[in-house]
Structure formats: C-alpha cells, structure tokens
Amino acid sequence: MNHLSDLRQGLILTRALAGALVLALSSVSLAQGDAQAEVRQAAPALVEWSKSLWQQARAGRSDRALELLRAIPRKQDADSVALASAVERYESNIARRESDRAQRLSELQVELDTHVAAGEILPALKSVLEWHTLALDKEKVLSDPRVRQLVDKAHNDAEDAEQASRWLDAHALYNHLNVLFEESRTYEADLRRLNQRLVMLRLYTPERLYAMRNAQRVAEGEDPLPPFNKVGEDWHEKLEGVDETILMRSLSYAASEHVDHVPMASMLLGGFRAVRVLATTDDLAEAFPGLADAPARDRFVATLDAEIARILERQDKADYGDLRQGVTAMLRASADTVKISREALVHEFTNGAMAELDEFSAVIWPDELAQFQRTTEGSFKGVGVQISLNDALEIRVVSPVEGTPAARAGIRPGDLIRKVDGDSTLGMSLSQAVERITGPVGTPVKLTIERPGAPDPIEFELRREEIPIYSVKGWLRTGAKETDWDWFVDPSNRIGYVRLTQFTNKTTQELRAALAAMREQQVQGLILDLRNNPGGLLTEAVGVASLFITDGTIVTQEDNKGQVRERQRAVSGPRVGQLPVVVLVNGGSASASEIVAGALQDYGRAVIVGDRSFGKGSVQNVFMMGPAAAFKLTTQYYRLPGKEGQPGRLIHRRPNSKVWGIEPDVNVEVLPKQFGEAFELRQNADVLGFNDQGELVPKPDRPDVSRLLTEGLDPQLETAILLLQSQIIPASLGKTAEAK
C-alpha cells in the first residue's frame, strides 16, 4: 500500500502516536537531574526515529511509518508533552468527526425514506449524494435497492421534464445524477445538453431564464427575486464581430494540433448537435421568432439531422471540406426557415464542436476576452473592491483592497452598492456588477452606496486604477496592507504557513518575500497550502517549485505524438534550504498547483497531505482570432519529473481514467460540513474593518482563526502541523543533547 488513504489506518496511526506518547510521558515523573540525563540519552534515538519517520511518510510507506510510530523512544523532555497534547487533541477531533459522520449517516437514512415515501425525488437524490459522500463503502450505496429505484425514477423524471421544456427541473435532476455517477460519466452527455440549453437561455433570453428561476424560488417557499436588470444583457452586443472565420480557423487548427487527435467528425457532430439543441429550446423563440413556426423549425432540424447522418457515415474520412459543406448547408437552411442570426449559429456550432475536445479548449468570445485576460494577469483595472451577493441578492462590499481608490475614499466592508454610474444594481448579477465597475485605467466611475446606520445614500466619485492581485496569504491578517500577515501557525515551534490562492505573474516574488520574513524569525518548518488553488501561469509554478528544488527538471510538455516539446528546469535564485515542508492539496488543487506539489513529491522535498488533486495536467495555447476573440486549445500534456529514474506521471484526468492528479502521501478526509465551516471562518477572518479615512479599525466580530485547529474544522492542517512538530521537537532535543 503506497498511501495512508484508508480511514481506519489513519485512526490507527493517530492512536498509535497518541498511545506511544502517553506511555512516554509516564516516565517524566523522575527527579529533575535524572530527567535531564535521560533526555541526553534518549535524544539521539529520538532524532533517528524522527528522521526515519519523515523518510517513510515522504515515501508513502504507511506500514513502516506505523511501525516507527509504535516504536517511538519513550524518554523525552517537557517539549514532548506539548506534542502529546496536540496528538490527543487531534485524536479527539478525529473521533468527533467520526461520531458526526455516524450520526449524519443515520439521519440520512431516515431522510431518504421520508423523501421517497413523499415522492420527493430531488430531495431524495440530495440525501443519497450526501450519503455517498460520507460513506466509506461507496459501492454499497450505489447498490442499495432504494438507491437503484430512485435513480431509475429520477432518470425518467428528467426525461419528462426536458420533454415538457422544464429546463431547470431537468437540469437539477441530471446534475445530481451526474455527480452520483461522476466516475462512470453515465449522465455526462445529458448534463452537457441541459447545460447548453441554460447557457443559451442566459445569453439570448436572460430575462426569460430569470423568470424561470424566480418561479422556482417562489414555488419552493423562498422570497421572490428582485426585478430583472437588463444592463449589459444585449446578446447582439456580446456577439459583435463573430463570423464564420473564427469557426473555420478554430476547428481546422484543432483537427491537426489537439493533443488527443480528436477527429474532425467528432467536432462536426458536436457542432450540429449543439445547434439542434438551440433549435429545440422553445423558450429561445423570444430571441429568434422563427423557432415559434413549428413547420419551419422542423425543416431546419431535418437539415441538421441529415448533416449528422452524413458525418456519421463518413466518420474518419470527414475533413475540412465536410466542415465547409456542413456549415454552408446549416446557414442556408436557417435563412430559408427559422432565420436564426448567423452570429448565433456560428457561436453555438463552435461551442458544441469545442466541447468534443476537452473541458479546457474553447473559443474566447468578444464578451469573455477581458475577463479571460484578467485571470492570468497580476492585476486588474478597477477601484479595488471585493464584492459578493448577500442573501437578499444585493451587491455587497466584502472588503476594499488597501491603497486602492475604494479604500482611500472610505468604502467599508458591508456597504451595499445600490447604483453604478446611476444605473440601479437591483437584480444585477455579480458578473454584471464586475463588468460595470471595472474598466480602463484613468476612467471615472460613480458608486452609490447604502451604508447600515447612515440615513442617506453616499456617492463616491472614483477613478479606476490598476489594482494588484495578491496571491500569497499567511495565517492571520495583521494590518491594512495585503502583505500584512502573521506567517506562523505554530509560533512556539516556528512553523510557518503560506496559502497560495493562484499563480499570477508575481506569485514567486511574493512567496520569496514571505519566506524571507519567516527566515528572519527563525522558521523551523513550513506548510504550503495549495488547496482550492486552480492554477495559473506555468512560469510561476516553476518559480515556486525552484524555491525548494535546487536542480533538475520540474515538468515537461508532450505533444500529440508523445514527443517532449518543452522542458522546464529549476531556475536559479534563493532557496528555502532543507527546511521540512508539508504541502496541502485537495480536489480543488489544479494545474500549476499540481505541478508544484507533484515536483516536490517526486524529489522527496515535501510530504503531501490532503485529498487527491483535481487532475488538470494539460497545456493550452492561446491564439488570437482577430482583435475581439481568441482560441484556447489543449496541445500538450504535462509530465512530472519522476522518482529516481522512473518515468514521470501524467497528472491529467483523461476520459475513462482511473488514476489522475496528485495522490497525497498522507490522505486525510474533510467532511463537507467541516469544509463549509472552515471556508467561512477563514474567509471572515481575512476581512478587516476600515474607517472613513481608509484606516484599519478593530473588528469585534472577527472570528478566531485558531478555531480551525481547536475545534477540529481542518484536520488536514492539523495533520500537517503534527508531522512538522514530529521533526522539529526531536531535532531541538538532539541539539540540546549535543550542547550538554
């Protein structure tokens, strides 16, 4: 067995460590002089035990690690009392987690039976999903007779809902079924089709979709949504500049350069089927009135079906000529029947074709380009407010960014943005608000704010600036600046803690500065938290990994012929040295995060703790398609360096893959409830208060971030701390023994 992935083994491990330490502490009642002598005698053995334990954990050899834990040298000084106490707390937290799991599993059985008896299919599915998530034996859940009957019923109901144009109901059912059977991908095609319908409704008839969602909320007993806000919702403006050239160029290039050699026939089928979805979504008739003409719609669909049949016959023979012929036939048939705009047809055909490649290849359309460019930059252009939707669906300021126009003007956390440039935000989506507030550097924007306790609205005349994005965060925010952090999660043992939220063009620089600050305070161990980090720039992944790896390959890229196209090696610069490191990963760690974690794992430079990572190990090249659009295509796969001459891993999750991502050396489960509570606490703890002058003020309701550990909300972090303490405390004892 290569990993500590079995829950029972994890419990045995913690109990073994706790038990060994408790036995060890029974010897600490000796006289002071005798105790010091025994520490001097035990320290060398303890140091060797510590080194061996780290080596075995780093290699994922759980059996040997368990043996070492049981054989811990039992004569230690008072420093080990703290470690024993931490282990006991950890064991107590794990026991509480298992108790919570058992209680919730029992409750779910009752909930499931109640929902099924009442004919409440979707709530019953939600109960099954939670049961499946919490269960240790997931196959047993899927084979339960109640679950099998429920799945059949849900599938039939989803088909009926789609047939009756109840798109939201059908989508909800297929979405839950897809999550339940995510590994087998049984319902992936169904969910994709419903996603296409909803995305089209969101683009072409957003007010109609808004009305559907409002009706659903009211039917479920929730408050109705505010009136729909039409600002920035004209699809003609969003598709301005879209033409057949984008379609032809993107499909032609994908056919030759995509990493998996997806044939032209597959892309053509995806394109025609997507347009067929458009033509059979009757609520789109508000944007395309021709769809309301049933005979005309049927003739258009017949043309699409004929093209699908033709491509199915040609299969591997389909080529660029079939692309031109099929698109020409589609456009001509539309002009003769339903008269859907050419821009819309091109948009949907291209999106459908790209969906056949992989989830990361796509055309970046004119309305998406600015947002796409912001995701990889180290800054954005705006006024410096972090915003969210509150429970009443109002635009709420989470926090102003220090030093930005919003902070200097005195905008505070909790302020409600009621207007942007005089336009009401009532009913505005988060993306609408972001688009309205951001803009070119130097341009003005007026925000009308409602502040709790203030009698009248407050208007702020701001001028947009380039706002830096900080991707490196510490344990506890200490000041107004985005770089003001307490970096130590365990001050007494000098264990540092760094969270990387993404990989922007300044991540390595920021991390290097954080590590320098920790070194000034004699850091003894480091936790690098990459959980929920979606990735970013490859150059920054290499830069971050190079802080820990002195020499060698970090990652290579292979093309669709299996040839190495590029190789990134460790870059020169300051290093961390041999500081013990634990890296935290989970299912939200992707791309650049996986490269860093995988490289440190392959070089034995860190112990990886958490859950299996996402499995995004592919390379996308971006090509401009004229001034207003771009094409993002997966052309290569990342391969990790490998261990001791072994071939490196491909971490990408390909179709039908059973192995993907980064498997942690120490697998620690976090229950959904724990994750939600920990995420909310962490988020709220990072938000500080400011006065009208933009100065930092005390925030009485700020949560105590240490609750993540004391209340067992983050067992992955707790495990990382214990592993580092097991290295630092024996090392300090060894130094004490040498000095004496």
Side-chain angles (χ1 to χ4, degrees), residues 243-266:
D243 58 26
E244 294 94 308
T245 301
I246 297 174
L247 187 162
M248 298 295 179
R249 289 180 60 192
S250 59
L251 266 70
S252 177
Y253 198 77
S256 62
E257 298 299 324
H258 188 264
V259 67
D260 285 333
H261 288 292
V262 175
M264 177 66 79
S266 295

Side-chain angles (χ1 to χ4, degrees), residues 504-523:
T504 71
N505 57 11
K506 294 183 180 178
T507 296
T508 304
Q509 176 184 332
E510 291 177 38
L511 180 56
R512 188 179 289 118
L515 291 169
M518 284 183 265
R519 279 197 297 271
E520 289 181 359
Q521 300 179 63
Q522 289 78 50
V523 62

Side-chain angles (χ1 to χ4, degrees), residues 133-384:
T133 300
L134 293 175
L136 299 178
D137 186 347
K138 300 187 186 303
E139 287 302 318
K140 185 177 181 180
V141 177
L142 297 179
S143 63
D144 186 282
R146 294 171 299 169
V147 174
R148 293 202 305 268
Q149 292 174 11
L150 177 64
V151 167
D152 290 341
K153 174 63 174 169
H155 185 191
N156 292 334
D157 284 2
E159 289 181 334
D160 292 344
E162 186 174 10
Q163 187 68 28
S165 300
R166 299 197 324 271
W167 315 122
L168 295 179
D169 292 339
H171 181 269
L173 289 166
Y174 278 131
N175 185 51
H176 283 72
L177 289 169
N178 184 66
V179 173
L180 189 59
F181 293 93
E182 190 258 348
E183 293 223 4
S184 65
R185 305 190 180 215
T186 306
Y187 293 95
E188 186 177 65
D190 295 307
L191 181 61
R192 180 192 297 179
R193 185 178 62 255
L194 266 298
N195 280 337
Q196 287 174 331
R197 293 194 194 278
L198 295 185
V199 169
M200 291 175 192
L201 289 167
R202 179 69 185 85
L203 175 60
Y204 300 111
T205 57
E207 191 167 3
R208 174 61 183 144
L209 180 60
Y210 197 83
M212 292 179 192
R213 287 176 171 156
N214 186 55
Q216 188 179 65
R217 284 174 62 91
V218 172
E220 293 172 354
E222 298 184 42
D223 293 335
L225 296 171
F228 177 71
N229 195 314
K230 296 182 179 181
V231 173
E233 292 295 339
D234 187 344
W235 67 266
H236 296 89
E237 294 178 1
K238 293 183 178 182
L239 298 192
E240 186 176 353
V242 172
D243 58 26
E244 294 94 308
T245 301
I246 297 174
L247 187 162
M248 298 295 179
R249 289 180 60 192
S250 59
L251 266 70
S252 177
Y253 198 77
S256 62
E257 298 299 324
H258 188 264
V259 67
D260 285 333
H261 288 292
V262 175
M264 177 66 79
S266 295
M267 289 187 284
L268 294 178
L269 291 171
F272 285 122
R273 286 167 178 158
V275 175
R276 195 182 194 284
V277 168
L278 184 154
T280 56
T281 305
D282 49 20
D283 286 288
L284 292 173
E286 292 182 14
F288 310 114
L291 293 178
D293 182 343
R297 184 191 61 222
D298 291 344
R299 291 197 302 274
F300 180 58
V301 170
T303 299
L304 298 174
D305 288 341
E307 286 300 315
I308 290 172
R310 183 176 69 83
I311 299 303
L312 285 171
E313 288 182 1
R314 286 184 57 75
Q315 287 293 351
D316 294 341
K317 297 178 182 178
D319 56 17
Y320 186 78
D322 293 283
L323 168 62
R324 294 194 64 87
Q325 179 181 337
V327 170
T328 300
M330 175 186 70
L331 295 175
R332 183 182 298 118
S334 173
D336 293 340
T337 57
V338 291
K339 295 179 172 54
I340 299 172
S341 79
R342 297 173 73 90
E343 293 85 356
L345 291 172
V346 167
H347 187 268
E348 302 314 325
F349 187 99
T350 308
N351 282 347
M354 294 299 102
E356 296 299 316
L357 300 176
D358 62 87
E359 60 184 304
F360 304 107
S361 293
V363 169
I364 313 300
W365 299 104
D367 63 310
E368 304 164 335
L369 192 57
Q371 174 62 30
F372 172 75
Q373 291 170 335
R374 283 198 294 266
T375 61
T376 55
E377 294 178 351
S379 64
F380 66 95
K381 285 75 177 175
V383 298

Side-chain angles (χ1 to χ4, degrees), residues 28 101 111 192 399 711:
V28 181
R101 186 205 303 271
E111 290 180 13
R192 180 192 297 179
S399 178
E711 298 180 10

